Amino acid sequence: MTSDDSTSQTNTTQSLLRHAVSVARDCHANAIFVYSDALENQQIELDADHDCRLIYITKSSADNHRLSNHRQRYIRVPDVNLSRFGQVKIAMFLALSSNLIQRDDTVVCLTGSSEKHSIDTLFVTKVGDEFDSMAAIGTSEYLPEGVSAEVIDRIVAIAAELGSEGREGKAVGALFVIGDAERVVSLSKQLIINPFRGYSGEERNVLDPALEETVKELSTIDGAFILRGDGIIETCGAYLKTSLRDEEEYSLPRGLGARHHSAAGVTAVTNSVAVAVSESTGTVTIFANGKIVTELEKLRAGTPR
């Protein structure tokens, strides 16, 4: 990169950061999303009278210590290659599940390249437009009762890594069902001996980083993981016996396989959230109430980060 290119990128970043505040004020935005991994030392300064929440998107928690202002929050997204829109989509989902934003909120989004440390994209969206399926589910009732946003965050991160990297160089598909575990188990048939049986809840909680490799390894087995809302894994390798009576009622796109139909079916009849990983495309799809909430597509070769 030449010095002229570097200067141009720096100027673009500074200009977008500066104008984002005025754009947010003009459109009465409720929040500004900033992909902080594309920044070096630059920050957005909000006026004291500007009633807008600043939410940083990051792949690590390294920036958390400096977000001391009560109007600043951060959303940690999976550490996988994401397109610019993918960065915002997953952050929007996680922000909704954590009640950092609400349905019908207007959000100004700033994103760019972490490799070049530059912000190059600004767009404005309203929760209910590009993210209409999320908004339709609600806000405070967005996650089923008893389902932790932290658990959803963890499962989405594991699913995104599986979709992006596969397992030992091979593509894998997976299905995770979180919440209403007793009811979900009653609607399933065990395909293998339950490998989590006999372990304490602490030893089989997906929030324990030591369990990550075990979960990824067991994802190669056919069937679903069934988890309690607090992250404790009840079983894996479970065949879900639910099915949709009328697939059109749930607006499932054509071409989705049995794993996705099972995800839609089980969330339609239980108080759960399902996260499916497509073996063929690596796309991560999140379901609730029998519907697709959002999708996180694997970054294709040649797509700008």
Side-chain angles (χ1 to χ4, degrees):
M1 182 188 303
T2 67
S3 59
D4 288 344
D5 289 338
S6 178
T7 300
S8 176
Q9 290 175 359
T10 300
N11 291 341
T12 299
T13 296
Q14 292 176 346
S15 177
L16 289 175
L17 289 173
R18 185 170 61 253
H19 285 89
V21 176
S22 59
V23 170
R25 181 180 291 106
D26 290 344
C27 64
H28 304 289
N30 307 92
I32 300 175
F33 276 40
V34 185
Y35 184 45
S36 63
D37 293 358
L39 300 175
E40 282 190 300
N41 299 317
Q42 308 98 320
Q43 293 190 47
I44 285 185
E45 298 295 336
L46 294 178
D47 297 335
D49 62 346
H50 193 186
D51 186 19
C52 186
R53 176 168 289 178
L54 184 57
I55 301 176
Y56 287 103
I57 306 171
T58 179
K59 292 182 180 179
S60 72
S61 56
D63 288 343
N64 189 32
H65 65 90
R66 68 179 178 84
L67 304 183
S68 56
N69 189 296
H70 73 281
R71 288 189 295 168
Q72 297 178 347
R73 300 289 188 274
Y74 87 103
I75 292 290
R76 184 177 180 180
V77 297
D79 188 11
V80 297
N81 292 336
L82 299 171
S83 67
R84 282 154 173 70
F85 193 57
Q87 295 163 4
V88 175
K89 282 182 69 174
I90 192 62
M92 190 78 73
F93 168 76
L94 296 174
L96 268 169
S97 63
S98 301
N99 283 323
L100 292 179
I101 57 175
Q102 310 293 327
R103 69 189 310 174
D104 296 325
D105 276 359
T106 298
V107 181
V108 174
C109 304
L110 285 168
T111 184
S113 170
S114 58
E115 294 178 345
K116 297 179 180 179
H117 298 292
S118 64
I119 295 290
D120 56 23
T121 305
L122 184 154
F123 66 91
V124 180
T125 186
K126 187 172 183 178
V127 180
D129 293 342
E130 285 88 347
F131 305 93
D132 53 1
S133 55
M134 298 184 196
I137 295 174
T139 51
S140 60
E141 64 276 2
Y142 176 66
L143 289 182
E145 182 179 357
V147 175
S148 164
E150 186 180 7
V151 173
I152 296 294
D153 188 355
R154 185 67 184 140
I155 290 300
V156 169
I158 291 174
E161 290 172 10
L162 286 171
S164 177
E165 304 165 5
R167 188 66 181 162
E168 296 181 353
K170 296 182 180 179
V172 297
L175 177 59
F176 303 87
V177 184
I178 308 104
D180 205 1
E182 184 176 350
R183 171 68 173 155
V184 175
V185 168
S186 73
L187 296 172
S188 70
K189 177 181 179 181
Q190 199 64 35
L191 298 176
I192 60 170
I193 296 175
N194 182 3
F196 293 98
R197 186 175 182 180
Y199 289 90
S200 68
E202 183 178 336
E203 291 175 300
R204 51 193 171 95
N205 194 308
V206 74
L207 295 178
D208 180 1
L211 198 59
E212 180 176 337
E213 286 302 311
T214 298
V215 171
K216 288 182 177 179
E217 185 65 28
L218 292 173
S219 68
T220 60
I221 299 172
D222 287 340
F225 285 83
I226 300 175
L227 299 87
R228 289 176 12 187
D230 60 2
I232 293 176
I233 303 174
E234 294 289 359
T235 189
C236 72
Y239 169 72
L240 299 176
K241 295 183 287 186
T242 59
S243 62
L244 297 179
R245 296 179 181 179
D246 185 354
E247 294 177 2
E248 292 184 359
E249 178 182 350
Y250 298 94
S251 303
L252 287 182
R254 293 183 179 181
L256 294 181
R259 183 177 291 110
H260 295 80
H261 287 282
S262 294
V266 73
T267 60
V269 297
T270 65
N271 205 22
S272 64
V273 173
V275 180
V277 182
S278 169
E279 182 175 356
S280 59
T281 66
T283 297
V284 175
T285 308
I286 302 169
F287 293 82
N289 294 336
K291 299 180 180 180
I292 293 176
V293 177
T294 192
E295 292 180 314
L296 182 60
E297 296 181 355
K298 179 179 179 180
L299 186 67
R300 296 180 175 85
T303 302
R305 296 183 183 182

